[in-house]
Every structure is written in structure tokens, then in C-alpha cells.
Amino acid sequence: MLKILVSIVLLSLFGLLTVKSTDLFTAMSDLEGVFDKEEKMIAAVEEYIRQERERLVKIEGKLENLRRLNREGQEDMASYLSHPFNGFLLIKRFIWEWVDLENWIKISMPSREYIFNVTGLRSKLPQQSDLDGAADALWRLQDTYKFTPASLMEGAKMEDNLKAHHSFEVGRLAYHVADDKYHAIPWMEQAYKWLNNKTKQGDFFKLNETEILDHLAYASFSEERLEDAAAFTDKLLLLAPDSKRYADNKAYYKYLLDKKYRPRGETGDLKGLSLEEAEEEEEEEEMDEEDLRNVHPDIRKYRALCRGDEGVVRYITKPMLQTCSYAHYNNPFLMLQPAKEEVAFVKPKIIVYHDIISDQEIEALKNLAKPRVGCLLTFDLKNSTSGYLEQTKFRICKSGWVAHNESEVIRRIYQRVGAYTGLSMNATEFLQIANYGLGGHYLPHFDFTKDIKTTENGNRIASMLFYLSDVTKGGATVFIDAGAKIKPGKGSAIFWYNLFRNGRVDERTKHGSCPVISGSKWVANIWMREHGQEFRRPCGIGRSE
Ligand code: PD2
Ligand code: ZN
């Protein structure tokens, strides 16, 4: 509209200046008409200025909002970013609010300075793929910890009137971008509940009941929730009684439901199902969400461990068993400063070394790693375990590797690990430092390989996993078969053997890292290889020795 007005003003001015005066303005009466035209032009420019002012007021309002959000976030950045939904909102701001503001600026003459500054920054700001990843992390937290959208959003910094919009946006990303109707439904249902609170929404975030219900009806149908699809369509029909599409959809859902529950005669079943069908239905009713979604048993166990479900997490129970000790392993290096050893689990043996690494060393490691940390990376883990639907995506920030001799700190750490474990450090891999963001996780895996031909220096005989940070919530390391759960503690490390003494792989060491709910998780790994350990950890003869 504004553009048209400006064009009219400019075209009119242009027209006036190019008119050949001799033809038109010879008579006084002709000239009199010019005043009228000029008045119209003045009115047009006045209208232009009024609209431009209005636009600037709008831009100022939007900018003020962004200024406030930025200030609030920065006030206590660590606590702000430790909330999983705040992380999502921060990224979303660059895809929604900033784009909206830019559009308002671009309506009129684009300010070169503004465009220059912003396009320079653009590549360094969150992109759509980051928003997709942040939403993915929310769904993972939902699946793992059984959070609802409302509980995930609770305590996040956002205006009440935008709650429905934000919730719908997470659902929309699931529905359209990830083609994941299963995760779209609860977010859209929540958006629908909040929308009904009838709170005023901003112009850019307009969301209406029909839009949500339309999505919900189709998503429910896709997920074979026919009753829900029909109920949402009923609501749509109340809003738009003349819609042929909704009426047709409703008829189709009804047809499918009738077919499903068609009376079959003698069974006596209320729903009219045949005996086998009734049994099948009963079985289905007893199934939980994970059964229905065909989730791999390892992933179920992993999730249960992450949640800390009763009876799944196992602890050392023998009261006589001394689990903590100061140990020097007859190593002169440890005589003055012994290892603080805790046996966290017995089969397989998992040892926690407390205070194995100092805060200064941790800072040095993080500084080495930070320039190499490619944040928000997405890895695909195709763990081919037949028949089951698997969660394949995992998203962590991971650094590259740091060589043994890259700094004095690294040399010292390798020496300490050698002293603690009694293993040779000659065939160890480079140190790997990793950082998990919100929702960052590592699905169950073994650290050893079964494809021994490809391994130089032998298989990974043992793992030492250092915790370089505390994690506010989530982020535990869990051992799937054993049922062990270890909470990261800054400065400690866990150690375990991946192989038996006879070289066979120990399948009980399957482990993973639970999604981070709040805070950020830093770890470092040192993997020790078999070669050179022959005298340090001599062969046994028993099957599991
Ligand atoms: O960070 C962890 O807790 C973790 C868990 C399992 C790390 C690794 N594996 C690994 O880097 O191999
Ligand atoms: Zn691992």
C-alpha cells in the first residue's frame, strides 16, 4: 500500500516536470486547475509521511521488544540458556521476530547501512536449520523424559499472549518440516488450549482456531487416531458449517470408524468385533506408547534409565562392600596425591575417579577445544538393528581431537591416566573433547569395534570419560544392560574396560549419554588401545576373564 502511494507521488511529480507547458497552460483557467492538483499531491505526501511515521512507530515498538528480550536474556545468560525452551525461543527470534522487523524496514527505501550491517551478520546468526534442530531437541526431551509441551515451556521467558503461537510453531515444525505428525499433535493441542484463553496476539503472530484444528485433524488422521480426527473436524464444522472439505472429511472418518467397529454378529462384543479382532484390540489397548511406536528395547531401557525409573536403575547394594578408597597403586606418582577411587558398579566394573582433573586444567582443555567446536552439528547414527524404528538423529556439539603433545596440560593428563589405570599410554587415541547443548545426547553404543581388522593398535581396551562440567539437569551416562547411571560431576572421570582380559568384547558395556535438560555438558575421552598392554593387563584364560 505504502509502496503504491510512494510510486503515485513520485510518478505524479515526474509527470508534472515533463509536461510541455505551451500545450496545456496557456489559459489562466488551466493554471487554476494546477492548484487543485498540487493540493492533492500535498495531501498524498502528507499521507505518505503519516504512514511512514506510523511505520517508524511500529518499527520502534518491535525494536523495543527485541531490545527488552535481549536485555532480559543477557541479565543472567547462564540461567536463561539453561532452560530448554528459552534456547528454542532465542533461535526462533532470528527466524521470526527479526525477519518481521526487517520486512517492515524494507517496505520503504531500504537503508543501505542497515542492509549492509545485517547481511554481514546473517551467516553468523541462527538459521532455519538451527530452529529445526532446537525443535528436534524438544521432541527428544519429550520422548525421553515424558515431558509435556506445557512442562517444557514452563518458566521460559515469553509473553503469555505468545504462548499459543510458540507452541504452535514447534508443532508446525514437526508437521511440515520434519513430517512428524506424532510430535506435532501435543504441541498443537497445547496451542489450541492456550488460544482459547482469548489473549490478544500481535499482528505477526496471528493464529486462529481453524488453522490449529485443521492441522490437528489431519495429523490425528495420519496417526490413525480416527476418533480424534473426527472430533477435531466436528469443531471445524462448528466454525465453518458450509465447508464442503470439512463435511467430506467428516464423512470419510465416519466411514472408516464404522468399518472399524462394524457389528459382526454373534461375538456378543459391544463394539461388534470378531473374537480375534477383539483380542487384538485388547492387546493393543494394553500396549504403551513405546510398544505402539515399535521403539527398540535398547532405546526404551536407555530412556527409562535417563528418567531414573524405579527398578531400572541398579546400585551397588552390599553394605559391606567398600566402594570408596584412596589408592596409590604402588605408583610413586600417586603417593602424595592418591586417586580418589569409587567403585560405582561391579559387573562390569565402572570406577569413578573423583577430582582427577583440576578446574584450571578443565579451562585449558575447553580453551583448546572451543575454536574447534562446530556447534549444533547433526550426526546420523544408523544403528541397523532389524525391524525396529530407531531414533537416528543425534545432535551434539563436538570438538575435534587434541593431540598428546599439543600442550603441557594434555601431557600431564595422559601421564595421570597412565598412573591411575596402570595401562600403557603408548597406544592411546588423541584426546577428544565434546560439548552437548540442550537436548544433546548420545544413543547407546559400544566404544569397541567388532570390525577388528580396521583397528590400528588393536581394539579399544578401556575408556576414560572425564566430566568437564556439572550438568544442571539430565546428561547422565547410562550403561544399558548393567542398569548403571552416573551423574556427571565436574572434575571427575569414569573408567571401564571394554574388553575382557582374553580380548573378547564385553557386551555389558553398552552405554549412552542422556539428553541434557538444562545447562551444558562438557566431556573429554581418552580411549586406550590393546597394543602395549600385554604386560600391564595380562591375558586371562577364563571365558569372561
Ligand atoms: O558423554 C557421555 O556421557 C558419553 C557417553 C557415552 C560419551 C561417550 N559415550 C563417548 O564419547 O563415547
Ligand atoms: Zn561411548
Side-chain angles (χ1 to χ4, degrees):
M1 172 68 187
L2 201 59
K3 253 189 185 161
I4 297 170
L5 251 172
V6 176
S7 318
I8 292 171
V9 171
L10 294 179
L11 281 174
S12 316
L13 280 171
F14 186 71
L16 185 71
L17 293 175
T18 52
V19 155
K20 290 203 181 66
S21 57
T22 44
D23 296 337
L24 275 170
F25 302 116
T26 45
M28 190 59 91
S29 59
D30 292 333
L31 270 179
E32 278 168 8
V34 170
F35 283 112
D36 187 44
K37 285 201 186 95
E38 191 182 34
E39 202 182 312
K40 286 204 176 90
M41 284 175 60
I42 290 168
V45 175
E46 278 169 355
E47 176 60 16
Y48 164 70
I49 292 171
R50 193 189 63 73
Q51 290 199 22
E52 193 72 346
R53 278 208 184 104
E54 243 176 38
R55 187 176 69 94
L56 287 175
V57 169
K58 203 144 210 162
I59 290 173
E60 180 55 39
K62 286 173 189 289
L63 187 66
E64 180 47 36
N65 184 39
L66 285 163
R67 202 182 282 131
R68 180 182 54 76
L69 292 171
N70 177 282
R71 206 183 315 119
E72 282 175 4
Q74 289 212 57
E75 256 161 28
D76 188 354
M77 212 186 305
S79 117
Y80 179 90
L81 286 177
S82 70
H83 192 294
F85 206 78
N86 281 342
F88 175 82
L89 289 176
L90 177 63
I91 294 172
K92 183 172 167 289
R93 208 147 78 209
F94 291 90
I95 317 295
W96 279 79
E97 282 89 332
W98 273 103
V99 170
D100 173 41
L101 176 64
E102 277 171 30
N103 287 340
W104 276 90
I105 289 171
K106 284 184 207 154
I107 282 177
S108 178
M109 327 289 157
S111 149
R112 277 183 190 204
E113 206 184 332
Y114 173 80
I115 291 201
F116 178 75
N117 285 341
V118 171
T119 39
L121 275 174
R122 220 350 117 223
S123 61
K124 298 187 188 80
L125 295 173
Q127 317 279 321
Q128 181 64 45
S129 59
D130 296 314
L131 189 65
D132 302 345
D136 209 51
L138 292 172
W139 308 327
R140 190 176 313 126
L141 291 178
Q142 239 177 300
D143 293 341
T144 311
Y145 298 104
K146 297 191 174 168
F147 288 136
T148 59
S151 67
L152 274 170
M153 291 171 85
E154 199 183 320
K157 271 199 186 272
M158 62 187 153
E159 291 123 291
D160 271 357
N161 60 341
L162 290 182
K163 276 163 107 176
H165 156 79
H166 292 314
S167 189
F168 182 73
E169 177 58 11
V170 181
R172 205 186 58 79
L173 289 169
Y175 188 106
H176 291 289
V177 181
D179 191 18
D180 174 358
K181 309 290 188 282
Y182 171 77
H183 283 111
I185 292 173
W187 289 91
M188 292 192 168
E189 276 178 333
Q190 189 56 63
Y192 184 66
K193 275 185 205 146
W194 274 327
L195 191 77
N196 278 347
N197 289 344
K198 289 283 174 277
T199 35
K200 196 180 146 291
Q201 297 180 79
D203 53 356
F204 190 56
F205 305 103
K206 264 200 199 94
L207 179 65
N208 63 48
E209 244 177 304
T210 314
E211 191 178 3
I212 306 182
L213 288 169
D214 220 343
H215 279 82
L216 275 170
Y218 185 71
S220 304
F221 167 67
S222 304
E223 284 296 301
E224 294 176 27
R225 289 165 54 172
L226 291 175
E227 284 91 344
D228 291 347
F232 288 128
T233 311
D234 280 340
K235 288 193 171 120
L236 281 166
L237 278 165
L238 286 177
L239 294 171
D242 299 331
S243 164
K244 181 166 171 350
R245 183 163 70 88
Y246 298 150
D248 288 350
N249 286 352
K250 178 65 207 295
Y252 183 54
Y253 300 146
K254 191 171 173 312
Y255 159 77
L256 292 176
L257 280 166
D258 284 350
K259 205 164 101 175
K260 190 172 167 191
Y261 297 128
R262 189 172 43 211
R264 295 277 162 90
E266 296 96 61
T267 66
D269 186 281
L270 279 181
K271 282 176 180 171
L273 298 177
S274 71
L275 211 56
E276 298 89 73
E277 281 172 329
E279 269 169 16
E280 224 171 76
E281 175 120 318
E282 210 168 280
E283 250 173 47
E284 247 178 49
E285 268 161 22
E286 275 166 20
M287 282 176 146
D288 64 13
E289 198 72 16
E290 292 187 331
D291 288 325
L292 289 169
R293 288 182 62 74
N294 207 14
V295 177
H296 190 281
D298 278 353
I299 302 287
R300 280 182 211 211
K301 184 87 185 285
Y302 159 80
R303 288 178 182 170
L305 280 168
C306 291
R307 287 192 295 270
D309 284 2
E310 216 170 297
V312 182
V313 183
R314 295 216 290 265
Y315 306 92
I316 294 184
T317 46
K318 287 183 197 158
M320 282 86 77
L321 188 69
Q322 186 194 354
T323 57
C324 292
S325 59
Y326 284 103
H328 54 66
Y329 315 114
N330 289 326
N331 187 318
F333 185 72
L334 295 176
M335 288 297 174
L336 286 178
Q337 214 176 2
K340 294 179 186 169
E341 180 194 287
E342 180 188 353
V343 180
F345 214 77
V346 183
K347 282 180 182 174
K349 193 167 183 178
I350 304 166
I351 296 175
V352 180
Y353 291 116
H354 296 277
D355 302 322
I356 187 174
I357 185 166
S358 71
D359 284 355
Q360 289 93 316
E361 287 169 329
I362 287 175
E363 275 323 295
L365 285 190
K366 282 188 186 169
N367 288 337
L368 269 175
K370 268 178 191 161
R372 306 170 204 197
V373 168
C375 259
L376 304 177
L377 288 181
T378 307
F379 296 87
D380 269 329
L381 182 79
K382 296 247 156 46
N383 222 344
S384 57
T385 333
S386 61
Y388 290 100
L389 285 180
E390 284 183 44
Q391 194 178 4
T392 56
K393 250 197 194 164
F394 67 109
R395 183 183 176 84
I396 50 177
C397 297
K398 222 172 197 181
S399 80
W401 307 76
V402 186
H404 301 81
N405 53 2
E406 238 178 88
S407 83
E408 186 46 39
V409 174
I410 306 281
R411 272 191 292 276
R412 230 186 303 144
I413 291 171
Y414 272 100
Q415 190 184 29
R416 198 172 307 147
V417 171
Y420 275 47
T421 61
L423 292 173
S424 160
M425 292 293 106
N426 292 338
T428 48
E429 295 176 32
F430 287 179
L431 188 97
Q432 190 195 51
I433 302 170
N435 175 224
Y436 303 75
L438 293 173
H441 72 158
Y442 201 155
L443 288 176
H445 63 278
F446 296 112
D447 282 358
F448 58 72
T449 172
K450 289 184 179 171
D451 184 11
I452 196 68
K453 287 186 286 312
T454 61
T455 54
E456 211 183 308
N457 290 328
N459 216 337
R460 285 176 172 167
I461 187 171
S463 303
M464 179 77 88
L465 176 69
F466 293 90
Y467 296 116
L468 308 183
S469 66
D470 292 318
V471 185
T472 322
K473 240 172 153 187
T477 305
V478 289
F479 287 75
I480 314 303
D481 295 338
K485 178 175 188 177
I486 288 130
K487 188 175 157 43
K490 188 178 180 187
S492 65
I494 53 173
F495 173 81
W496 70 94
Y497 282 104
N498 296 303
L499 309 179
F500 291 109
R501 280 179 181 276
N502 60 14
R504 279 178 52 237
V505 297
D506 186 348
E507 308 254 2
R508 301 168 307 174
T509 61
K510 188 181 278 175
H511 60 287
S513 171
C514 300
V516 173
I517 303 171
S518 158
S520 121
K521 177 182 177 186
W522 283 88
V523 293
N525 292 83
I526 290 184
W527 286 293
M528 286 138 268
R529 296 293 183 118
E530 277 174 299
H531 289 185
Q533 315 296 359
E534 295 79 1
F535 299 107
R536 310 287 185 118
R537 194 187 188 226
C539 252
I541 42 168
R543 251 182 80 74
S544 56
E545 261 186 88

Short mmCIF file of all heavy atoms in Angstrom, two decimals, residues 22 47 55 80 102 112 122 150 162 166 174 185 216 243 259 262 280 284 303 308 320 334 364 386 391 437 519 521 535:
data_model
loop_
_atom_site.label_atom_id
_atom_site.label_comp_id
_atom_site.label_asym_id
_atom_site.label_seq_id
_atom_site.Cartn_x
_atom_site.Cartn_y
_atom_site.Cartn_z
N THR A 22 3.65 24.81 -22.98
CA THR A 22 3.00 25.55 -24.07
C THR A 22 1.67 24.93 -24.46
O THR A 22 0.75 25.60 -24.85
CB THR A 22 3.90 25.57 -25.32
OG1 THR A 22 4.44 24.28 -25.48
CG2 THR A 22 5.00 26.62 -25.18
N GLU A 47 0.05 12.12 3.53
CA GLU A 47 -0.39 10.76 3.85
C GLU A 47 0.81 9.82 3.92
O GLU A 47 0.91 8.96 4.81
CB GLU A 47 -1.40 10.29 2.79
CG GLU A 47 -1.89 8.87 2.92
CD GLU A 47 -2.61 8.59 4.25
OE1 GLU A 47 -2.99 9.54 4.94
OE2 GLU A 47 -2.74 7.39 4.60
N ARG A 55 4.77 3.69 10.46
CA ARG A 55 5.67 2.55 10.24
C ARG A 55 6.86 2.64 11.20
O ARG A 55 7.27 1.65 11.80
CB ARG A 55 6.16 2.58 8.79
CG ARG A 55 6.95 1.36 8.37
CD ARG A 55 7.28 1.45 6.90
NE ARG A 55 8.23 2.51 6.65
CZ ARG A 55 9.54 2.32 6.58
NH1 ARG A 55 10.03 1.11 6.72
NH2 ARG A 55 10.34 3.33 6.37
N TYR A 80 19.27 -18.17 31.83
CA TYR A 80 18.35 -18.08 30.69
C TYR A 80 18.57 -19.26 29.75
O TYR A 80 17.63 -19.97 29.36
CB TYR A 80 18.56 -16.76 29.94
CG TYR A 80 17.65 -16.60 28.74
CD1 TYR A 80 16.40 -15.99 28.87
CD2 TYR A 80 18.02 -17.08 27.49
CE1 TYR A 80 15.55 -15.87 27.78
CE2 TYR A 80 17.18 -16.97 26.40
CZ TYR A 80 15.95 -16.36 26.54
OH TYR A 80 15.12 -16.25 25.46
N GLU A 102 12.77 -6.71 9.81
CA GLU A 102 13.45 -6.39 8.55
C GLU A 102 12.44 -6.10 7.45
O GLU A 102 12.61 -5.18 6.66
CB GLU A 102 14.33 -7.56 8.11
CG GLU A 102 15.67 -7.54 8.80
CD GLU A 102 16.44 -8.81 8.53
OE1 GLU A 102 16.27 -9.42 7.46
OE2 GLU A 102 17.22 -9.20 9.40
N ARG A 112 20.68 1.45 3.15
CA ARG A 112 21.86 0.69 2.75
C ARG A 112 22.68 0.26 3.95
O ARG A 112 23.18 -0.85 4.02
CB ARG A 112 22.76 1.55 1.88
CG ARG A 112 22.30 1.53 0.48
CD ARG A 112 23.24 2.30 -0.34
NE ARG A 112 22.63 2.45 -1.64
CZ ARG A 112 23.32 2.67 -2.71
NH1 ARG A 112 24.61 2.79 -2.64
NH2 ARG A 112 22.74 2.80 -3.87
N ARG A 122 24.30 -11.97 9.12
CA ARG A 122 23.34 -13.05 8.87
C ARG A 122 23.94 -14.45 9.01
O ARG A 122 23.40 -15.31 9.69
CB ARG A 122 22.83 -12.87 7.46
CG ARG A 122 21.46 -13.06 7.03
CD ARG A 122 20.35 -13.61 7.72
NE ARG A 122 19.31 -12.63 7.92
CZ ARG A 122 18.65 -12.50 9.05
NH1 ARG A 122 18.90 -13.29 10.06
NH2 ARG A 122 17.73 -11.61 9.18
N ALA A 150 3.58 -28.29 27.82
CA ALA A 150 3.39 -27.26 28.85
C ALA A 150 4.53 -27.31 29.86
O ALA A 150 5.04 -26.27 30.28
CB ALA A 150 2.05 -27.45 29.54
N LEU A 162 1.83 -14.89 23.65
CA LEU A 162 2.50 -15.56 22.54
C LEU A 162 2.70 -17.05 22.79
O LEU A 162 3.28 -17.76 21.95
CB LEU A 162 3.86 -14.90 22.27
CG LEU A 162 3.78 -13.49 21.66
CD1 LEU A 162 5.16 -12.94 21.39
CD2 LEU A 162 2.99 -13.52 20.35
N HIS A 166 4.00 -19.81 20.06
CA HIS A 166 5.26 -20.56 20.19
C HIS A 166 5.00 -22.06 20.16
O HIS A 166 5.72 -22.83 19.52
CB HIS A 166 5.98 -20.19 21.48
CG HIS A 166 6.50 -18.77 21.50
ND1 HIS A 166 7.19 -18.22 20.44
CD2 HIS A 166 6.45 -17.81 22.45
CE1 HIS A 166 7.53 -16.97 20.75
NE2 HIS A 166 7.09 -16.69 21.95
N ALA A 174 7.24 -29.72 13.40
CA ALA A 174 7.11 -31.18 13.36
C ALA A 174 6.24 -31.57 12.16
O ALA A 174 6.61 -32.45 11.37
CB ALA A 174 6.48 -31.70 14.65
N ILE A 185 1.17 -33.27 17.20
CA ILE A 185 -0.14 -33.25 17.87
C ILE A 185 -0.11 -32.59 19.26
O ILE A 185 -0.83 -31.63 19.50
CB ILE A 185 -0.76 -34.67 17.92
CG1 ILE A 185 -1.11 -35.10 16.49
CG2 ILE A 185 -2.00 -34.71 18.81
CD1 ILE A 185 -1.58 -36.55 16.36
N LEU A 216 -4.60 -30.25 13.36
CA LEU A 216 -4.81 -31.34 14.32
C LEU A 216 -5.63 -32.48 13.71
O LEU A 216 -5.34 -33.66 13.95
CB LEU A 216 -5.52 -30.80 15.56
CG LEU A 216 -4.58 -30.19 16.61
CD1 LEU A 216 -5.39 -29.47 17.69
CD2 LEU A 216 -3.71 -31.26 17.26
N SER A 243 -18.44 -25.54 4.96
CA SER A 243 -17.24 -26.06 4.29
C SER A 243 -17.47 -27.48 3.75
O SER A 243 -17.77 -28.40 4.52
CB SER A 243 -16.06 -26.05 5.25
OG SER A 243 -15.04 -26.86 4.73
N LYS A 259 -16.48 -48.81 9.70
CA LYS A 259 -15.88 -50.04 9.18
C LYS A 259 -15.11 -50.75 10.29
O LYS A 259 -15.15 -51.96 10.43
CB LYS A 259 -14.92 -49.67 8.04
CG LYS A 259 -14.73 -50.80 7.06
CD LYS A 259 -14.13 -50.32 5.77
CE LYS A 259 -12.67 -50.65 5.76
NZ LYS A 259 -11.96 -50.35 4.56
N ARG A 262 -17.73 -52.12 12.80
CA ARG A 262 -18.95 -52.70 12.23
C ARG A 262 -19.39 -53.95 13.01
O ARG A 262 -18.56 -54.82 13.29
CB ARG A 262 -18.69 -53.08 10.77
CG ARG A 262 -19.93 -53.48 10.02
CD ARG A 262 -19.61 -53.64 8.55
NE ARG A 262 -18.34 -54.34 8.37
CZ ARG A 262 -17.52 -54.14 7.36
NH1 ARG A 262 -17.81 -53.28 6.43
NH2 ARG A 262 -16.41 -54.82 7.25
N GLU A 280 -7.16 -58.76 19.56
CA GLU A 280 -6.12 -57.87 19.01
C GLU A 280 -6.25 -56.47 19.61
O GLU A 280 -5.28 -55.85 20.02
CB GLU A 280 -6.30 -57.78 17.50
CG GLU A 280 -4.99 -57.88 16.72
CD GLU A 280 -5.29 -58.00 15.25
OE1 GLU A 280 -5.62 -56.98 14.66
OE2 GLU A 280 -5.24 -59.14 14.72
N GLU A 284 -3.74 -54.36 21.93
CA GLU A 284 -3.30 -53.01 21.57
C GLU A 284 -3.54 -52.01 22.69
O GLU A 284 -2.72 -51.14 22.94
CB GLU A 284 -4.04 -52.54 20.31
CG GLU A 284 -3.10 -52.39 19.14
CD GLU A 284 -3.81 -51.97 17.88
OE1 GLU A 284 -4.59 -51.02 17.92
OE2 GLU A 284 -3.58 -52.64 16.85
N ARG A 303 16.02 -44.79 27.81
CA ARG A 303 15.12 -43.72 28.26
C ARG A 303 14.71 -43.92 29.72
O ARG A 303 14.66 -42.97 30.49
CB ARG A 303 13.88 -43.67 27.38
CG ARG A 303 14.15 -43.14 25.99
CD ARG A 303 12.86 -43.17 25.20
NE ARG A 303 13.05 -42.73 23.82
CZ ARG A 303 12.11 -42.85 22.88
NH1 ARG A 303 10.95 -43.39 23.17
NH2 ARG A 303 12.35 -42.42 21.66
N GLY A 308 15.31 -42.41 35.26
CA GLY A 308 15.52 -42.94 36.61
C GLY A 308 14.33 -43.75 37.08
O GLY A 308 14.00 -43.73 38.27
N MET A 320 28.44 -54.18 52.93
CA MET A 320 29.82 -54.44 53.35
C MET A 320 30.83 -53.97 52.32
O MET A 320 31.98 -53.75 52.61
CB MET A 320 30.05 -55.94 53.56
CG MET A 320 29.50 -56.47 54.86
SD MET A 320 27.78 -56.88 54.61
CE MET A 320 27.94 -58.42 53.74
N LEU A 334 51.60 -41.29 42.61
CA LEU A 334 50.34 -41.10 43.35
C LEU A 334 50.49 -41.19 44.87
O LEU A 334 49.49 -41.14 45.59
CB LEU A 334 49.32 -42.15 42.89
CG LEU A 334 48.86 -42.05 41.44
CD1 LEU A 334 47.94 -43.21 41.10
CD2 LEU A 334 48.12 -40.74 41.20
N ALA A 364 41.79 -25.02 30.55
CA ALA A 364 42.78 -25.14 29.47
C ALA A 364 42.27 -26.06 28.36
O ALA A 364 42.39 -25.76 27.17
CB ALA A 364 44.10 -25.65 30.03
N SER A 386 17.54 -54.69 13.29
CA SER A 386 16.40 -55.00 12.45
C SER A 386 15.02 -54.69 13.01
O SER A 386 14.78 -54.81 14.20
CB SER A 386 16.45 -56.49 12.15
OG SER A 386 16.33 -57.13 13.40
N GLN A 391 15.51 -44.05 16.66
CA GLN A 391 15.79 -42.63 16.68
C GLN A 391 17.20 -42.51 16.10
O GLN A 391 18.15 -43.05 16.66
CB GLN A 391 15.78 -42.19 18.12
CG GLN A 391 15.73 -40.73 18.33
CD GLN A 391 15.69 -40.45 19.81
OE1 GLN A 391 15.77 -41.34 20.64
NE2 GLN A 391 15.58 -39.20 20.15
N GLY A 437 24.84 -29.57 23.79
CA GLY A 437 23.92 -28.46 24.09
C GLY A 437 22.61 -28.99 24.64
O GLY A 437 22.50 -30.18 24.97
N GLY A 519 21.29 -26.69 31.20
CA GLY A 519 22.73 -26.50 31.32
C GLY A 519 23.45 -27.03 30.09
O GLY A 519 22.83 -27.34 29.08
N LYS A 521 26.84 -29.68 28.78
CA LYS A 521 27.69 -30.76 29.26
C LYS A 521 28.99 -30.81 28.46
O LYS A 521 28.97 -30.87 27.23
CB LYS A 521 26.93 -32.08 29.11
CG LYS A 521 27.74 -33.32 29.52
CD LYS A 521 26.92 -34.58 29.29
CE LYS A 521 27.71 -35.83 29.61
NZ LYS A 521 27.00 -37.05 29.27
N PHE A 535 51.68 -56.71 29.10
CA PHE A 535 52.22 -56.96 30.45
C PHE A 535 51.51 -56.13 31.50
O PHE A 535 51.64 -56.37 32.68
CB PHE A 535 53.74 -56.67 30.45
CG PHE A 535 54.47 -57.57 29.51
CD1 PHE A 535 54.98 -57.10 28.31
CD2 PHE A 535 54.61 -58.93 29.81
CE1 PHE A 535 55.61 -57.95 27.42
CE2 PHE A 535 55.24 -59.79 28.92
CZ PHE A 535 55.75 -59.30 27.71
#
